[in-house]
Amino acid sequence: MSQLPSKFIDGAKKLKIKELPPYAKQFASEELTTSKLSGRYNTWMQNYKKQYIDKGSPKPFFDVVAILFFGSYALAWPQELKHLRAEEAAKLEGKSGHH
């Protein structure tokens, strides 16, 4: 899957800025199809299993922990940002920012 961004960038380097949107649309319609993405995912998963899971590596455990950490952070971020903005607005009005 890491070849896909470099393939896009290599093609985009040759273009003028006004040619980028049609190029991106064409690239996406050709390369980001369900069948191609499914095939790439399956290949990646088979390689990942062979390289880490079958060998008993701890990497899959750490990958799951990292995904859960960043996923929960991403889900909580809007609420945290809302709270931060409300606190800053309260400070600007001269009120205490804490409840």
Side-chain angles (χ1 to χ4, degrees):
M1 249 197 223
S2 62
Q3 298 166 5
L4 204 55
S6 60
K7 185 177 178 182
F8 176 79
I9 291 169
D10 289 344
K13 285 180 183 177
K14 306 168 192 166
L15 303 174
K16 296 178 181 173
I17 292 196
K18 65 181 179 181
E19 298 171 328
L20 281 174
Y23 170 73
K25 185 176 181 179
Q26 178 187 359
F27 184 86
S29 67
E30 292 172 359
E31 297 296 330
L32 301 179
T33 64
T34 305
S35 61
K36 282 190 177 184
L37 290 176
S38 177
R40 287 185 186 116
Y41 173 76
N42 288 335
T43 301
W44 173 82
M45 196 62 204
Q46 289 170 356
N47 291 336
Y48 186 87
K49 181 181 179 299
K50 203 181 306 178
Q51 189 172 4
Y52 299 111
I53 297 172
D54 291 346
K55 292 181 180 178
S57 171
K59 186 180 183 327
F61 171 75
F62 292 121
D63 288 345
V64 168
V65 169
I67 289 168
L68 291 175
F69 173 79
F70 288 111
S72 63
Y73 188 81
L75 288 173
W77 178 248
Q79 186 64 28
E80 291 295 326
L81 187 59
K82 181 180 172 184
H83 177 74
L84 177 66
R85 287 184 177 158
E87 193 173 90
E88 288 173 348
K91 285 181 183 177
L92 287 174
E93 293 175 6
K95 301 177 184 175
S96 173
H98 297 285
H99 304 283

